[in-house]
Amino acid sequence: MSRNHASTAGGDAVLPRWPQRTVAVLSTVDEGVHAIPVSAPVRAGDRRILLSLHRSRDTLGRIRRWPEVALTILAEDDLAFTARGRAMIAEDPMAVDPEYVAVAIEVTQVDDHRQPAFRVTGGVDREWVDQAARTRLAARLRALTAG
């Protein structure tokens, strides 16, 4: 497995590196499965992911009740994996943007979804129509990567 790809051994889970602009899917389990897109999750080490969620998200309540989550990433350079672990509120509210909460995921398992029959050459991308929202996301990313 190359340096950019995930290990599937539960306790030895190592996160690959992904592009900063990545859009991922965060799944929680409570009364049922709940999945939402999240912008720009940050790799904060071999087994830690940081992200920001708007304070109005139902997902925050779900994390508080049942912290087991999964974050799925499909991105360029043949990245296709799900990081599973426990989420916790890291900063509520975020100092740089009080409308958002910082969430940390301590990863316990990385499921490698790559297939021998094809390569993932791109993930979900976005075109910004609200430059103020883009600027606020950039500030949150700087705060998440600084810590």
Side-chain angles (χ1 to χ4, degrees):
M1 200 170 295
S2 80
R3 64 179 172 75
N4 282 339
H5 294 111
S7 165
T8 57
D12 295 330
V14 175
L15 291 166
R17 297 185 188 282
W18 57 86
Q20 187 176 36
R21 69 184 179 281
T22 297
V23 175
V25 177
L26 178 66
S27 299
T28 59
V29 178
D30 195 330
E31 298 85 27
V33 176
H34 178 75
I36 62 166
V38 294
S39 292
V42 173
R43 184 186 188 278
D46 287 347
R47 297 184 191 181
R48 190 164 201 235
I49 300 170
L50 298 171
L51 52 93
S52 61
L53 294 177
H54 195 273
R55 294 188 68 174
S56 66
R57 288 283 197 175
D58 291 340
T59 304
L60 291 170
R62 292 171 183 271
I63 287 170
R64 287 182 173 104
R65 288 188 301 272
W66 188 262
E68 298 302 320
V69 300
L71 184 75
T72 302
I73 292 180
L74 300 171
E76 62 194 55
D77 197 23
D78 202 19
L79 292 172
F81 68 93
T82 298
R84 299 176 189 276
R86 291 181 63 82
M88 65 189 90
I89 307 305
E91 185 182 9
D92 182 9
M94 291 185 75
V96 299
D97 193 342
E99 293 298 313
Y100 284 79
V101 173
V103 174
I105 302 170
E106 299 302 329
V107 176
T108 56
Q109 181 176 340
V110 178
D111 302 329
D112 186 345
H113 302 309
R114 292 174 299 151
Q115 300 290 318
F118 62 86
R119 292 179 43 81
V120 177
T121 59
V124 175
D125 208 346
R126 68 180 85 64
E127 178 182 338
W128 287 96
V129 294
D130 183 334
Q131 291 306 311
R134 181 180 188 177
T135 300
R136 288 192 309 272
L137 176 60
R140 292 193 308 275
L141 286 175
R142 283 191 301 277
L144 292 172
T145 57

